Amino acid sequence: MWFNQVSPGPSRYQGRTEKPVQYFAVVGKRDGVVLGYVWAGDEDDAAAWEPRQAAGPRALMEGSGWFHRLEEAKGRGILPSQALAELLADPEGNRGRALPGSLAEAPTLAVVKALAGPYGPVRMVHPVHYVTVSAPDGEVIGYVWGDATAVGWIQRAASSRSAYRAGAEWARKADDARQRGLAPVAVLTELSREPYVGPVTGAPGTAAIQELARTVTPADDRRLLAQLRQDDHAAWRELADAVEALTDEDRNIQWGGGHKQANGVYQWPYPIYSKPLLRAVTALSGVGAVTPEHRWTAGEVPEVPPGGRMHPADAVRAATAVVIAERPCEGTIAEAVEIGLFDAVAESLRGWYAAAGTELAPDPPPR
């Protein structure tokens, strides 16, 4: 009897584990439908593709590309978690792609299989679960969360105006699903099937989700800096002149009112701003630093960092908050001047303008 020696097949990660895993969702490039999940667990040297049953044949076909990439990673001898990180860094699949922001952890592979199953998760495995809602361009809009009894919406504070408007619609969707009598986990499962919505993910509590909602991304900074009128050299000249003209007397803001008048009416205190200071405030608006693109009521006013130099995007946030808040709450500008925030904002913006490779427009010729 003769036996032919057969070369061993390619190295592969284990396809099963009872230990904790990391995973991310893969969605269709055209419609954003969740096709499945790539998961990995280092403890059992395991990683695989889990097709979403509701996606049908599309999920099976999409899985071949991700499976091949995992197989290639195993051949190089790297850990499953390293392979997962590589896939996220190069997120394009066959007809799908890794959903930004969907990387999560699960205590067991059963959670991932439940997400991929026909009905989503069958039980709550954390005190709170949530789904991440994104815009088509990848910007995170906010989070729908649910616990054992309730469902809620948390808007990301630094989101754009368009994302804020979209957030109202997602809050309505979550409320409508709850009004239909769905359990919180069922609401999340239903919403997770929508385009650009991440998988159901666990959290220790709503405080963790609120912390996520306070995240500020580089894209948020770029969006605010895009509001600055970089090419309006006259406006930047005006800001420079106005700030440099300020004196200690202008910064020593006096207050009026605060006493009972002859007719018995108490006059509310109000700040008395000098004309040079008001000129500098107006100049901030002139360069585009006061913009509705920053929702100033959604977060705290940035503080002056210990080094004194503010990030220019934070300068836009501070300028917007201080100038607009002065209308309903007189004295906001006075406080900003007193603590050095106003000068820090102006310095940061002027530094950004100079670093952008522009020069102040020359003075006009004499008439």
Side-chain angles (χ1 to χ4, degrees):
M1 180 177 294
W2 295 87
F3 293 90
N4 293 322
Q5 185 175 0
V6 178
S7 60
S11 300
R12 294 176 180 173
Y13 295 116
Q14 297 296 317
R16 298 179 61 184
T17 181
E18 298 298 326
K19 305 296 177 53
V21 298
Q22 290 182 304
Y23 65 95
F24 62 80
V26 175
V27 298
K29 295 180 182 179
R30 292 188 175 182
D31 56 10
V33 170
V34 177
L35 302 178
Y37 303 85
V38 182
W39 61 267
D42 288 347
E43 293 189 51
D44 284 336
D45 195 39
W49 164 259
E50 189 66 34
R52 180 169 172 257
Q53 294 183 31
R58 291 178 62 191
L60 297 176
M61 291 186 292
E62 178 64 21
S64 63
W66 297 97
F67 182 84
H68 175 75
R69 293 173 67 182
L70 286 172
E71 190 174 79
E72 188 274 334
K74 175 60 177 177
R76 290 186 282 115
I78 65 175
L79 292 172
S81 60
Q82 294 174 315
L84 203 68
E86 284 189 357
L87 298 187
L88 277 173
D90 183 13
E92 298 300 317
N94 181 17
R95 296 186 178 181
R97 64 178 179 88
L99 180 65
S102 66
L103 181 64
E105 297 182 356
T108 67
L109 180 57
V111 173
V112 182
K113 288 184 175 294
L115 289 171
Y119 307 109
V122 296
R123 63 187 177 89
M124 300 293 284
V125 295
H126 293 277
V128 174
H129 285 73
Y130 69 94
V131 293
T132 302
V133 179
S134 299
D137 63 359
E139 179 187 3
V140 175
I141 299 172
Y143 308 88
V144 182
W145 63 269
D147 57 18
T149 60
V151 172
W153 167 256
I154 298 177
Q155 180 82 31
R156 196 171 68 88
S159 61
S160 62
R161 282 190 294 172
S162 59
Y164 179 71
R165 290 191 292 267
E169 177 64 18
W170 281 103
R172 184 194 63 77
K173 284 185 178 182
D175 185 62
D176 287 350
R178 191 73 175 104
Q179 293 300 320
R180 286 190 278 113
L182 295 180
V185 69
V187 172
L188 298 180
T189 302
E190 180 176 287
L191 294 180
S192 72
R193 297 171 181 148
E194 298 262 0
Y196 308 111
V197 178
V200 181
T201 304
T206 55
I209 307 172
Q210 290 169 341
E211 184 64 29
L212 281 176
R214 285 191 283 270
T215 300
V216 177
T217 69
D220 296 324
D221 290 342
R222 289 193 297 269
R223 187 177 64 253
L224 291 183
L225 294 178
Q227 309 306 308
L228 296 175
R229 301 176 184 128
Q230 180 178 336
D231 296 330
D232 191 344
H233 305 304
W236 289 97
R237 166 64 70 183
E238 171 62 11
L239 176 62
D241 291 345
V243 171
E244 291 173 5
L246 292 177
T247 65
D248 291 342
E249 184 177 355
D250 295 317
R251 293 182 174 88
N252 185 21
I253 299 167
Q254 303 299 310
W255 287 73
H259 59 272
K260 185 180 292 185
Q261 302 182 88
N263 58 4
V265 176
Y266 182 84
Q267 186 179 27
W268 196 259
Y270 60 90
I272 303 173
Y273 298 127
S274 67
K275 289 183 178 180
L277 180 57
L278 291 176
R279 176 192 176 192
V281 171
T282 302
L284 289 176
S285 297
V287 299
V290 181
T291 171
E293 189 60 41
H294 173 56
R295 295 182 298 106
W296 64 277
T297 56
E300 297 181 357
V301 179
E303 298 180 351
V304 181
R309 176 59 65 91
M310 297 185 73
H311 189 287
D314 282 340
V316 173
R317 294 182 179 98
T320 299
V322 168
V323 174
I324 295 181
E326 179 70 23
R327 300 166 191 169
C329 185
E330 288 186 315
T332 305
I333 294 174
E335 181 180 0
V337 171
E338 181 180 355
I339 64 177
L341 178 61
F342 188 88
D343 286 321
V345 165
E347 180 183 3
S348 174
L349 292 173
R350 294 175 65 189
W352 172 87
Y353 176 69
T358 58
E359 295 182 358
L360 290 174
D363 293 326
R367 294 186 179 184

